[in-house]
Structure formats: structure tokens, C-alpha cells
Amino acid sequence: MKGIHIFFISLFLMLCVGGYFLYQYWSASQKIGVWDLVPESAILVYESTKSVENWNQVQGTVVWQNLEQIPYYSGIRTKVELLDSLSGQQGKLHQLLQSKPFVFSVHRISSQELGYVFYLSLDDLSDIDVIDKLVTQYQNRDDFKFRTRSYQDIIIHEAVNQEYEEVFSYVIHQGHFVGSFAPFLVEDVIRNVGEKSKSGFANSNPKMFEVAKLENDQGNIYLNVHKIPDLLAAFTDDNISPGLDMWGKLAESAFLDIKLTDQKLLLNGFTLTNEEAWPYLKSVGGFQGNGFGLASVLSNDAAVVQHLTFSDPIQWHSGLRSFWTQHDQPQLERWQRLKQDLDWDPMTIIALQQRELGVAIMGTLEDEVPDKLVYLYGDELEPILEQLQLVAKHAAKAEGLEVYQEPFAEKQITQINLVDFPAALWGKMFKGFEQCFFMPVQNFIVISSSISGLKQLWRSIDAEET
């Protein structure tokens, strides 16, 4: 009996050990999905199953023709055509991309630079053969040098363009081609897969993958809203970037369908949020919105516009102050100091404002610090003007000065000698006013960070450049 027991125990152990190694082999051989590869660091991800068709459509649009005036975009067409020609007369690259899921992710790799990772599913050995032929074509060129290195036991291939000193790194792993011009991003992908990370892009933003998608479009964009400031910072100077932080706190993620017409790029989709993750929306929500009335007084030079609408300004600001009380005590203290320092109740302005409130950052090539404009709407502007004149008077008196005023276009430009007066009234979204000047424009009081900002706005409206 003892021998039989030993036999069955040994058999059981062999089955367990064999089963473990069989599981390990089976698990390692499974083809993972492309979304298992995308690291959490991605700001956004573009996805298309018709990449060739979409590319052909894009090239013929006015939108793309305008983009090609920018040096960065002007070389993209040439690079794509070169890649396809190198793959052979039959257009092997075209065949490889045809009707396949093509994905690329966007990452911030420095203070003002974005990096990209490209992902392509490979269905069978013929797809790998096309890539091998592409590589062979490049290996025969004098301006390219190839090398390999190992990272976490995975071979990374690198193609070095010696003329431009660019390195394109790529791996072929579990049925996918992954490549990037930023080598450490490929390493991020490998780490994400190797650690079987549950914090990858898809796992960190699951709601985006639950919404309905359009079929006949030019692809989908999956956006991590928290990282919007990182995206915008790549296109703005350091003095603008801090003012964009608010954009990353309005939601969790967004899914957008892309529809490209001849002259317009249309984005339609869903913004997904969580009240517990960002209580600001809960504090100021629940109001009926209004239209975009400031469009008629918004210059074409505006680079960034943040727009708020509300049906009840007093209740809206009450919610804002509740948010400050719980989450931003310094901001609440700035609001309270307006009454203490100026002997003036700021609620008088809040009660008079109506419908909408906006702030715009103006695009400029000449000035290091761009102008900012606040748009304050009112059906009757005179009571608002009286209150702002009163603030200007109190602020000037506190400094032992006279109120500065300047006539312009049959109107009056007045200075409020308070740094960041708009931010004290409405919050950090309205920071960036080292100086404050205001004047009436149609049904708005416009507050500018400079006199020239108001004058330029008036000229733009007069020239119908809005």
C-alpha cells in the first residue's frame, strides 16, 4: 500500500508540475491585444482600421493642405511615400496596413516635446515578411545603420539615420509591431507587458471603451483628460502653461470620433467624469447652459478660450465658494480680502453678471507674454461699469494714486490697480493679470491684461476679424 501511495503522490506532483509548465507555455504563447501594450503615460491614443483609406482622404483636404505649410507636417507625405516605395513595386506597406487596426499613442517626453509610439497587429508570417523586406531595403542604404540591444530579455532593433541622427526603435512582440523615435518609450511598452501591468492606458481609462462608436469616420481618439496640460504645454511657452492646469481637472477621459470634411475637422464623442475624483463640477453644476454669445467679440487671434455659462450667477458663485472652502483656502482668502481691502462687496459684481463668462489667451508672435482677456456679459452694462469704476477708485486710493483712464474709440479705458483682480473674483482660471484695464464692448465688459489688448480687440471687431 505504501508503494501505491508513493506512486499516486509522485503522479500528482508530476501532473501539477507539468500543468504549471504547460500553463506557462500556453500563457506566453497567447497573442495579446494592442491595448495591452499601450502604457499609462499616453496622453491620447489614435485608432483606425482604415488607415490607408483615411490617409488618402486626408491628403486631399484643405485642412491638410494648411497643415503642410508647417515644416513639421510638410515632410510627413514624403516619408510615407518613401516607406511605401521601399516596400516594393506592389506596395507591400499598403497591403500590410490595409484593413488592419493601426494605433499610435502620444506621450510627453520633455517640457515642450511630444513622442509617439506606433502599434500594428501582425496576423501571420507574411506580415512579418513585409517588415523584414522593409528593413532589408533600408539596410542597403548608406545613410542608415542598424543595431540591436536587449531590454528585459527582449531584442530591440534600432535603425539609425546618420544624416539626421534620428533613431527609430522597434520590437516585434506577441503578434505586434511596436516602434518609436523615442527609444525609452519602447522600453515603457516592454515594461508594461512584462509586468502584466494593470495600470496601462486601457485599464486606467476603462469607461472610454464602453461608449458607442461611429463606423464611417476617420478614426477614434481616446484622451486622458488629466494629461491635457501636458499636451498643450508642448505648443505653448512656459509663461502660458500654468494657466492650462485647470483643463486637466474637468473630467477623467474623453472618447472622440474623427470626421474630416474638406475644410473642417469635426470631433464628436463623450467626456467622462467622476464627481468623487473632481468635485469642482459637482460644486458648480446643475445649471441650464447658454449659447456662445462672445463669439461676436472674440478676435481670430484668440489661441485658447475657456467659456462658462450659467442661469443663476449668485447660486453658481455660491457653489464656487463652497468648492474653495473645501479644496482651495488660499483662493477663498483672496476673495474675502477684496471686501476687507477695498471696503467693497464683490457680490455686487456677481449679482450683476449674466449668462456667460469667458477668458481668452491671445496668440502672438511678437510679445513674450500674450494678452489675456476676460469677457463679462450683462444685459445692462452701466451698473457693472459703475461697480468696476468704484473698485478702480478704491484700489488707486489705497496706493495714493489717481485712477488712470484713457479715451479710445469714443469709449473709456480704465485701469484697476490690482494684480489678478479677475482671479480673486472667479478663481485660478482667471490668473495672469499683472495689470487690469477694462472697457465696454457691445454687451460685454472686457478686462484685459494690457491697454494694447483692448485696442487690438476693437480693431479686430471693426475689421470683422472675429
Side-chain angles (χ1 to χ4, degrees):
M1 290 292 293
K2 184 176 180 180
I4 293 176
H5 288 161
I6 293 174
F7 170 77
F8 278 112
I9 291 172
S10 300
L11 179 61
F12 174 76
L13 290 174
M14 289 174 63
L15 288 171
C16 288
V17 172
Y20 170 78
F21 283 109
L22 181 62
Y23 170 78
Q24 292 294 317
Y25 172 79
W26 177 85
S27 178
S29 64
Q30 293 305 295
K31 184 176 180 180
I32 61 177
V34 67
W35 289 104
D36 296 317
L37 299 168
V38 182
E40 186 183 13
S41 62
I43 299 172
L44 65 84
V45 181
Y46 169 81
E47 171 193 50
S48 174
T49 56
K50 303 175 182 177
S51 54
V52 174
E53 180 182 330
N54 291 341
W55 170 245
N56 291 334
Q57 290 176 354
V58 165
Q59 293 179 81
T61 63
V62 174
V63 173
W64 180 255
Q65 291 168 11
N66 290 334
L67 280 175
E68 282 197 307
Q69 303 303 312
I70 302 173
Y72 175 81
Y73 293 99
S74 62
I76 292 180
R77 186 201 300 263
T78 303
K79 290 180 179 179
V80 172
E81 292 174 349
L82 176 62
L83 279 171
D84 200 32
S85 66
L86 285 173
S87 64
Q89 294 181 350
Q90 294 78 25
K92 293 292 185 181
L93 184 61
H94 183 287
Q95 295 176 23
L96 182 64
L97 293 173
Q98 189 73 36
S99 301
K100 284 183 182 295
F102 174 71
V103 171
F104 72 80
S105 56
V106 180
H107 307 252
R108 187 177 181 181
I109 59 175
S110 68
S111 61
Q112 288 191 322
E113 187 177 3
L114 298 174
Y116 307 86
V117 183
F118 305 93
Y119 311 82
L120 183 64
S121 298
L122 306 176
D123 294 332
D124 49 43
L125 292 176
S126 63
D127 289 343
I128 298 177
D129 183 58
V130 172
I131 292 176
D132 287 340
K133 288 181 178 179
L134 276 170
V135 172
T136 301
Q137 294 282 356
Y138 274 100
Q139 285 175 335
N140 293 331
R141 293 175 49 160
D142 295 333
D143 53 343
F144 275 87
K145 182 180 180 181
F146 281 76
R147 64 193 184 203
T148 60
R149 59 188 178 90
S150 177
Y151 182 77
Q152 292 190 358
D153 297 326
I154 293 177
I155 300 299
I156 299 177
H157 302 265
E158 294 185 334
V160 184
N161 185 306
Q162 299 181 85
E163 181 179 356
Y164 298 103
E165 297 182 347
E166 280 189 327
V167 179
F168 183 78
S169 301
Y170 70 93
V171 297
I172 297 176
H173 184 63
Q174 291 191 306
H176 295 280
F177 172 89
V178 180
S180 176
F181 286 98
F184 68 87
L185 289 180
V186 175
E187 295 175 6
D188 283 350
V189 173
I190 293 173
R191 278 196 302 273
N192 192 57
V193 176
E195 297 169 1
K196 297 182 178 178
S197 174
K198 294 183 178 180
S199 61
F201 184 85
N203 287 326
S204 299
N205 303 278
K207 294 180 182 178
M208 287 189 287
F209 300 89
E210 299 172 2
V211 299
K213 302 176 177 65
L214 296 177
E215 294 295 331
N216 299 316
D217 60 9
Q218 276 73 49
N220 306 314
I221 290 179
Y222 301 82
L223 176 65
N224 182 344
V225 174
H226 296 313
K227 295 183 182 292
I228 284 181
D230 289 340
L231 177 65
L232 298 177
F235 303 97
T236 56
D237 291 333
D238 292 338
N239 50 34
I240 296 179
S241 298
L244 304 174
D245 289 344
M246 188 76 173
W247 286 55
K249 299 175 181 178
L250 296 178
E252 287 185 293
S253 55
F255 168 81
L256 301 167
D257 281 299
I258 303 174
K259 191 69 177 177
L260 190 64
T261 66
D262 183 47
Q263 298 187 12
K264 294 181 180 180
L265 174 64
L266 305 175
L267 301 175
N268 298 293
F270 301 88
T271 300
L272 308 163
T273 189
N274 183 337
E275 289 182 353
E276 295 179 359
W278 182 241
Y280 171 80
L281 291 180
K282 183 178 180 181
S283 299
V284 300
F287 301 101
Q288 182 178 352
N290 290 290
F292 192 58
L294 65 82
S296 62
V297 293
L298 185 65
S299 167
N300 289 340
D301 292 331
V304 178
V305 180
Q306 299 177 84
H307 184 240
L308 304 171
T309 67
F310 33 74
S311 53
D312 187 334
I314 295 177
Q315 189 178 349
W316 169 77
H317 203 275
S318 176
L320 194 61
R321 295 195 306 277
S322 296
F323 172 77
W324 294 341
T325 300
Q326 298 178 44
H327 303 281
D328 197 344
Q329 278 292 322
Q331 174 59 41
L332 181 65
E333 292 169 5
R334 282 191 287 271
W335 160 264
Q336 293 170 338
R337 282 200 301 271
L338 285 175
K339 187 171 185 177
Q340 298 167 4
D341 297 345
L342 299 175
D343 190 26
W344 169 77
D345 186 359
M347 279 304 298
T348 54
I349 286 287
I350 304 304
L352 291 169
Q353 71 181 60
Q354 295 172 302
R355 299 186 191 178
E356 57 184 315
L357 180 67
V359 58
I361 302 175
M362 310 310 290
T364 177
L365 297 176
E366 292 82 14
D367 300 327
E368 292 184 3
V369 180
D371 288 324
K372 296 189 75 172
L373 303 177
V374 169
Y375 294 84
L376 174 61
Y377 180 86
D379 285 330
E380 296 183 11
L381 296 186
E382 198 59 38
I384 302 177
L385 285 170
E386 288 176 1
Q387 289 299 316
L388 291 177
Q389 293 285 0
L390 187 60
V391 172
K393 180 179 178 181
H394 287 321
K397 183 178 179 181
E399 298 292 330
L401 302 170
E402 294 291 327
V403 176
Y404 177 81
Q405 293 184 312
E406 178 180 322
F408 174 73
E410 300 182 356
K411 299 182 182 297
Q412 192 92 300
I413 296 176
T414 304
Q415 180 179 17
I416 297 177
N417 194 30
L418 286 174
V419 175
D420 276 335
F421 171 66
L425 276 178
W426 299 297
K428 291 179 178 177
M429 185 187 297
F430 296 83
K431 290 189 69 174
F433 288 78
E434 291 296 318
Q435 300 183 85
C436 296
F437 301 88
F438 69 88
M439 67 178 282
V441 180
Q442 296 182 17
N443 282 104
F444 291 86
I445 304 295
V446 181
I447 305 173
S448 174
S449 58
S450 73
I451 290 180
S452 61
L454 289 174
K455 293 180 178 180
Q456 183 56 46
L457 172 64
W458 184 263
R459 295 187 188 103
S460 296
I461 294 172
D462 190 52
E464 298 184 351
E465 296 175 349
T466 61

